[in-house]
């Protein structure tokens, strides 16, 4: 959950993913009053931000300011907003009616083909049923379509369950047994095998199929517990599905005590999960835990930290990054010591080292406190060549660029900077990654720089 909240990129999918599981945390997790307030603030912020992504036709753009709707994310964001409304959150005006119109039109226009996603259609129909505006004709048409995936059948079963057609739901769920293993991440739905399992778990919970839900939940729990990379979509859907499952099966609560460095503490909760922050000291620490309850208590000890300045880890997987700095005349510049007031250009070149297209690449450049980003729209540097990217997000201390890379393609991104404030500062390395594919990532080493008189 912390990974999702702190994830720095703010597209439609990731904004939704960060907030979605928070709707259910209080149902399974013992939360403090401060945490509950944080969750409310996070969800309200996400609802407001998603409203800025909705287009006049009712669909949602992947990036705010884009003119076309993203198919999967429109269903995903709508799903979240519907669930948020059930929890009492106020939705953007006209969101629901415009969104339903868009979803119904998209559902009617969908046709099975090599370039269409049956899972996206099933999910769209599920969200319409959730909104109380089921498109039964499109549901029946998809149900009768030959060769649809097991994942699509599972979601369609949930749609039938929502409208009270239990026999059709049970039949579809039964025929969805097993899973169509993806050979690679599904870029169209931002999906993975783990995300698809989470969607199946949601269906089994809705249908009350305890044994099937248990088997899938154990698999998801194992994946969540491993030290492995998961995309925002996969993480979010796994968390929300497990939260719904935990509420479905119930629990006996927690009754335990522990001693940390000779200090006694009690943990008592009616919920499934509880988290305690441990105060540790330098050197050795002693922790003793006693389960005073009737059920088995599962304990995990988690630790995190920040590497010292200058000791961050460099990494490279299928992307190459070259970082350089030039003066306005195009000549290479030594940034170890810059005169105050110098205008210069940070130039990052990213190369795709594989012979296949990679989508949704995110490049983050964080700049030292003594440098300022020059907004070329409001200066006499307005002729500064724009970067060929899908979306740009420039903040006070960093620039984020989002783009796709064709097989073996090289792309160069430029930022105009000014050495503004005297002093010595740390310049972090750049980080570039494919947001939905862990096979692509590069991170460079940072360095110290100085701005002098």
């Amino acid at each position: 959950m912390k990974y999702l909240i702190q994830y720095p990129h703010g597209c439609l999918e990731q904004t939704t993913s960060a907030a979605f599981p928070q709707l259910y945390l209080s149902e399974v997790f013992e939360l403090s009053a401060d945490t509950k307030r944080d969750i409310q603030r996070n969800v309200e912020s996400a609802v407001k931000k998603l409203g800025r992504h909705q287009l006049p036709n009712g669909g949602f753009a992947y990036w705010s300011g884009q003119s076309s709707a993203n198919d999967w994310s429109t269903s995903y964001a709508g799903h979240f907003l519907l669930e948020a409304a059930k929890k009492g959150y106020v939705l953007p005006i006209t969101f629901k009616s415009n969104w339903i119109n868009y979803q119904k039109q998209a559902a009617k226009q969908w046709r099975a083909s090599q370039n269409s996603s049956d899972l996206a259609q099933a999910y769209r129909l599920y969200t319409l049923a959730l909104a109380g505006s089921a498109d039964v004709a499109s549901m029946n048409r998809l149900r009768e379509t030959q060769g649809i995936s097991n994942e699509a059948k599972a979601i369609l079963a949930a749609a039938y369950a929502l409208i009270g057609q239990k026999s059709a739901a049970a039949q579809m769920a039964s025929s969805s047994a097993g899973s169509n293993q993806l050979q690679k991440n599904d870029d169209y739905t931002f999906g993975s095998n783990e995300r698809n399992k989470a969607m199946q778990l949601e269906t089994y919970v809705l249908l009350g199929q305890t044994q099937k839900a248990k088997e899938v939940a154990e698999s998801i729990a194992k994946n969540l517990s491993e030290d492995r990379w998961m995309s925002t979509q996969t993480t979010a859907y796994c968390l929300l599905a497990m939260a719904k499952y935990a509420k479905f099966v119930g629990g006996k609560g927690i009754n335990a005590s522990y001693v940390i460095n000779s200090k006694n503490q009690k943990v008592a909760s009616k919920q499934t999960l509880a988290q305690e922050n441990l105060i540790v000291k330098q050197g050795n620490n002693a922790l003793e835990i006693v389960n005073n309850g009737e059920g088995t208590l599962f304990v995990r000890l988690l630790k995190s930290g920040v590497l010292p300045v200058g000791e961050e880890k460099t990494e490279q997987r299928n992307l190459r990054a070259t970082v350089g700095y030039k003066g306005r005349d195009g000549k290479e510049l030594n940034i170890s010591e810059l005169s105050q007031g110098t205008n210069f250009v940070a130039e990052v070149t990213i190369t795709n080292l594989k012979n296949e297209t990679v989508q949704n690449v995110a490049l983050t450049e964080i700049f030292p406190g003594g440098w300022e980003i020059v907004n070329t729209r409001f200066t006499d540097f307005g002729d500064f060549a724009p970067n060929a990217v899908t979306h740009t997000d420039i903040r006070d201390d960093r620039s984020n660029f989002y783009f796709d890379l064709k097989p073996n393609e090289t792309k160069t991104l430029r930022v105009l900077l000014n050495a503004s404030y005297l002093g010595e500062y740390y310049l972090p390395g750049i980080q570039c990654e494919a947001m939905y594919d862990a096979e692509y990532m590069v991170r460079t080493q940072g360095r110290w720089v100085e701005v002098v008189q």
Side-chain angles (χ1 to χ4, degrees):
M1 193 69 255
K2 183 181 290 186
Y3 159 73
L4 288 176
I5 293 173
Q6 294 179 344
Y7 197 71
H9 308 300
C11 67
L12 177 64
E13 183 277 322
Q14 288 150 2
T15 299
T16 304
S17 291
F20 212 156
Q22 295 186 63
L23 292 176
Y24 311 101
L25 280 184
S26 62
E27 297 177 359
V28 295
F29 219 113
E30 189 67 30
L31 302 174
S32 67
D34 288 343
T35 302
K36 289 178 180 178
R37 282 193 295 270
D38 288 343
I39 288 174
Q40 181 175 348
R41 186 167 55 249
N42 291 341
V43 173
E44 288 175 348
S45 175
V47 169
K48 187 179 296 184
K49 185 174 180 181
L50 291 181
R52 296 195 290 269
H53 284 258
Q54 192 170 26
L55 302 171
N57 65 2
F60 283 75
Y62 184 76
W63 291 110
S64 180
Q66 289 183 327
S67 58
S68 60
N70 181 275
D71 185 31
W72 179 267
S73 295
T74 292
S75 296
Y76 187 47
H79 184 188
F80 161 70
L81 289 169
L82 292 172
E83 298 278 12
K86 291 180 181 179
K87 298 288 186 181
Y89 291 94
V90 179
L91 302 185
I93 298 173
T94 73
F95 146 71
K96 190 172 180 180
S97 58
N98 290 346
W99 175 81
I100 287 174
N101 289 337
Y102 177 88
Q103 291 289 82
K104 284 191 170 182
Q105 185 176 2
K108 286 179 170 58
Q109 291 175 347
W110 184 87
R111 295 292 183 272
S113 71
Q114 189 175 0
N115 297 320
S116 64
S117 169
D118 56 4
L119 180 58
Q121 174 72 343
Y123 188 39
R124 178 167 32 244
L125 294 171
Y126 167 75
T127 59
L128 282 170
L130 192 66
S133 298
D135 184 344
V136 180
S138 294
M139 289 168 60
N140 291 337
R141 180 159 55 89
L142 181 60
R143 180 185 178 188
E144 295 166 3
T145 300
Q146 295 293 320
I148 65 171
S149 65
N150 290 328
E151 285 74 21
K153 291 176 183 178
I155 302 303
L156 190 57
Y160 277 111
L162 287 173
I163 64 174
Q165 295 192 17
K166 299 295 184 182
S167 60
Q171 183 183 0
M172 290 300 296
S174 177
S175 67
S176 72
S179 177
N180 298 331
Q181 290 289 313
L182 297 172
Q183 297 302 310
K184 192 168 173 61
N185 292 339
D186 176 10
D187 293 328
Y188 189 83
T189 73
F190 308 99
S192 64
N193 291 313
E194 291 80 9
R195 193 285 309 274
N196 292 345
K197 283 184 181 179
M199 299 187 86
Q200 286 183 321
L201 175 58
E202 195 177 23
T203 296
Y204 292 145
V205 168
L206 184 62
L207 296 178
Q209 297 184 355
T210 308
Q211 186 57 38
K212 286 185 177 180
K214 181 176 183 292
E215 292 171 3
V216 177
E218 287 178 347
S219 174
I220 293 172
K222 181 181 178 182
N223 291 332
L224 282 170
S225 298
E226 291 177 350
D227 184 15
R228 57 185 293 188
W229 179 89
M230 281 185 172
S231 72
T232 49
Q233 172 94 179
T234 297
T235 304
Y237 225 106
C238 286
L239 287 175
L240 71 91
M242 289 299 290
K244 289 184 176 182
Y245 174 73
K247 185 180 180 183
F248 170 64
V249 297
K252 298 179 181 179
I254 298 171
N255 181 12
S257 59
Y258 67 92
V259 181
I260 176 76
N261 296 329
S262 302
K263 293 184 179 179
N264 295 288
Q265 299 288 341
K266 290 186 177 181
V267 183
S269 173
K270 295 179 181 180
Q271 305 289 49
T272 308
L273 301 167
Q275 178 174 291
E276 294 283 308
N277 292 321
L278 304 179
I279 299 175
V280 296
K281 61 184 181 181
Q282 189 76 22
N284 295 326
N285 291 265
L287 173 65
E288 180 182 312
I289 302 170
V290 179
N291 180 14
N292 301 315
E294 298 178 0
T296 302
L297 181 67
F298 297 90
V299 181
R300 297 192 72 202
L301 186 63
L302 309 175
K303 59 182 180 178
S304 63
V306 178
L307 289 168
V309 170
E311 294 184 22
E312 63 268 33
K313 306 294 185 183
T314 60
E315 200 166 346
Q316 182 178 342
R317 296 191 298 271
N318 297 314
L319 292 177
R320 182 173 62 236
T322 304
V323 183
Y325 298 88
K326 296 180 178 179
R328 289 289 293 168
D329 58 2
K331 294 182 179 179
E332 293 290 336
L333 198 65
N334 179 11
I335 60 166
S336 298
E337 188 176 283
L338 291 171
S339 297
Q340 186 179 28
T342 301
N343 287 313
F344 61 105
V345 177
E347 191 173 272
V348 177
T349 300
I350 303 295
T351 301
N352 177 9
L353 299 179
K354 294 191 74 175
N355 192 31
E356 58 184 47
T357 297
V358 55
Q359 296 181 320
N360 299 303
V361 177
L363 167 65
T364 298
E365 298 177 76
I366 301 177
F367 300 110
W371 297 0
E372 284 195 339
I373 299 173
V374 179
N375 192 328
T376 56
R377 291 177 297 174
F378 304 113
T379 67
D380 30 350
F381 297 120
D383 59 344
F384 191 70
N387 294 300
V389 296
T390 305
H391 183 73
T392 300
D393 177 13
I394 295 181
R395 308 182 187 185
D396 288 344
D397 67 338
R398 70 195 62 197
S399 61
N400 295 314
F401 298 108
Y402 306 92
F403 50 92
D404 300 337
L405 285 172
K406 298 174 184 176
N408 305 119
E409 181 183 8
T410 293
K411 192 179 287 285
T412 298
L413 296 311
R414 298 177 178 86
V415 180
L416 183 60
L417 301 164
N418 178 268
S420 302
Y421 305 103
L422 298 174
E424 190 177 19
Y425 305 93
Y426 189 72
L427 168 64
I430 65 100
Q431 176 159 316
C432 188
E433 61 181 337
M435 295 189 290
Y436 303 101
D437 192 340
E439 291 184 12
Y440 296 86
M441 196 268 200
V442 61
R443 182 169 53 233
T444 63
Q445 186 71 45
R447 58 186 291 190
W448 288 95
V449 297
E450 190 174 5
V451 178
V452 298
Q453 191 74 45

